[in-house]
Amino acid sequence: MPSETLTIVDNRTGRKYDVPITNGTIKAIDLRQIKAEEDDFGLMSYDPAFMNTASCISRITYIDGDKGILRYRGYPIEQLAEQSNFLETAYLLLNGELPNRAQSDQWVHDITFHTMIHENIKKLMDGFHYDAHPMGMLISTLAALSTFYRDAKDIYDAEARRKQTYRLIGKMPTIAAFAYRHSVGRPYVYPDNTLSYTENFLSMLWRMTEVKYEADPVLVRALDVLFILHADHEQNCSANAMRGVGSSHVDPYSAMAAAAAALYGPLHGGANEEVLHMLDQIGSKANVPKFIESVKAGHGRLMGFGHRVYKNYDPRAKVIKKLADEVFEVTGRNPKLDIALELERIALEDEYFVKRKLYPNVDFYSGLIYQAMGFPVEMFPVLFSIPRSVGWIAQWEEMLLDSEQKIARPRQIYLGPPVREFVPMIKRP
Ligand code: ACO
């Protein structure tokens, strides 16, 4: 039987160390025993951007980036997109199992009856400038929610955690829709508990003078599927922020504001907005080859392409590409689609992209759908944050209940100046 250990020889000292291998991993802390001198701190591993470091053990989401596989709690994303709905998928991510009928009804009821926001939150949102970015409004409002729910600090009380979960998932669409309505100067539309999660969101966004808003069922389903696809993605930048900030034992609203802030960046949730800007900049199908050449020459990136984990076609992008056709049947074809298809075609054949395993990611087509549905680009990261709130909560709770986790606190390699004497201003050159 081969031994499940790694033997390390320190050539500085000639000493040999056996380090256990568990789940294909060695513990970085096991390196600490390796010292050149007795008073040495011990060996550390250096891994900027966590390229090869597992920060946790998780049982939520599985990705095989080389094969293009994504599963929530073991269920393939394609099956969930086809057969589940967003709230059911949310229940699965949070509880580990699909709900039975009674559990499902209770869950939908609990989320639905936590969609209203305090009137003072509404006033807070009113205070934003007329052209405030809705993502900035969402981040700030999430942080502000912590001041409304004092029990949010009881993070080790399962009941209190459940309550914040209902509130966060229930209120995300309301805050998102209010942020949008504020930006276009329209009155806020209050939640309608007779509608499904996604229908209600569309009603809060688009309802005008009609008594009841009736969304197109194709668009309701499309948005629901997009929500399923975006619900979790294991240790991405924002989940890592949620875990890292949550590890200080702050309340989940504050941690989620940090996670949403991480999502706001153009390399993460802001990428689909960048895709549309890029397609606008390209302008026409004929300009695609020239654009590809400029990317290859190092002038910017092909937005919506490439992924830290996927070195194959992002499975979510496959589902979205199909969804786009259904949506465009209702909304009319987004003229930028032709440029996007041409970009994809050329990039997938091009040696530069092939060699680097750069494939379309989830953001390549999602922006086109959102735009066709009538969303302004500023709303894209907000639309991403609504479903991702589920993943953030699942990751946060798993971190809290993991006895191996502590406050997240990486080490550094200090290469700055050594100790030196302070020089008074008068003596400085
Ligand atoms: N266009 C052109 N070249 C690219 C792209 C791209 N989109 N992405 C990576 N590359 C190149 C890099 O220049 C680098 O080339 P080199 O080896 O010659 O230096 C190589 O591919 C590897 O790139 P890295 O930056 O090391 O890859 P990393 O894993 O750090 O980056 C990332 C992943 C940030 C997603 C990157 O591919 C990127 O910037 N893509 C565009 C932005 C985007 O679409 N983000 C959305 C990600 S999905 C999500 O967050 C939901």
Side-chain angles (χ1 to χ4, degrees), residues 7-18 34-37:
T7 302
I8 302 170
V9 178
D10 186 345
N11 292 321
R12 297 172 302 176
T13 60
R15 271 188 227 125
K16 222 167 92 176
Y17 302 83
D18 280 334
I34 304 176
K35 297 180 178 193
E37 310 278 346

Side-chain angles (χ1 to χ4, degrees), residues 11 22 46 95-96 127 146 177-178 187 204 224 277 295 304 411 420:
N11 292 321
T22 315
Y46 174 55
N95 298 287
S146 75
F178 280 28
M204 290 189 292
D224 209 64
H277 290 319
V295 168
R411 293 278 174 182
R420 46 185 175 163

Side-chain angles (χ1 to χ4, degrees), residues 213-235:
Y213 180 80
E214 282 183 32
D216 188 304
V218 174
L219 301 188
V220 172
R221 179 65 193 153
L223 198 56
D224 209 64
V225 172
L226 284 162
F227 280 2
I228 292 173
L229 300 179
H230 285 89
D232 192 48
H233 211 231
E234 52 116 310
Q235 307 312 312

Side-chain angles (χ1 to χ4, degrees), residues 150-220:
R150 301 203 147 224
D151 59 338
K153 291 198 185 331
D154 302 334
I155 53 167
Y156 280 110
D157 176 339
E159 196 42 52
R161 276 203 309 276
R162 205 176 356 258
K163 218 44 196 291
Q164 313 324 323
T165 302
Y166 299 151
R167 287 174 175 146
L168 275 164
I169 300 173
K171 293 177 202 321
M172 279 296 273
T174 314
I175 298 168
F178 280 28
Y180 169 72
R181 301 285 292 203
H182 178 83
S183 70
V184 287
R186 288 186 188 155
Y188 303 127
V189 176
Y190 283 63
D192 179 343
N193 283 1
T194 64
L195 299 176
S196 75
Y197 189 81
T198 324
E199 279 175 319
N200 175 49
F201 177 48
L202 291 174
S203 159
M204 290 189 292
L205 283 164
W206 310 125
R207 203 177 108 202
M208 295 302 282
T209 53
E210 63 270 44
V211 178
K212 203 167 183 77
Y213 180 80
E214 282 183 32
D216 188 304
V218 174
L219 301 188
V220 172

Side-chain angles (χ1 to χ4, degrees), residues 267-268 271 301-306 308 352 356 358 361 363:
L267 295 188
H268 189 8
R301 292 196 159 192
L302 180 47
M303 299 310 288
F305 257 69
R308 171 61 57 79
Y352 174 96
R356 290 170 179 78
L358 300 170
N361 60 48
D363 287 320

Side-chain angles (χ1 to χ4, degrees), residues 134-146:
M135 193 60 185
M137 291 179 73
L138 177 77
I139 294 167
S140 320
T141 309
L142 276 171
L145 281 181
S146 75

Side-chain angles (χ1 to χ4, degrees), residues 39 48 125 210 302 399 419:
D39 60 350
M125 297 186 79
E210 63 270 44
L302 180 47
M399 178 273 304
V419 64

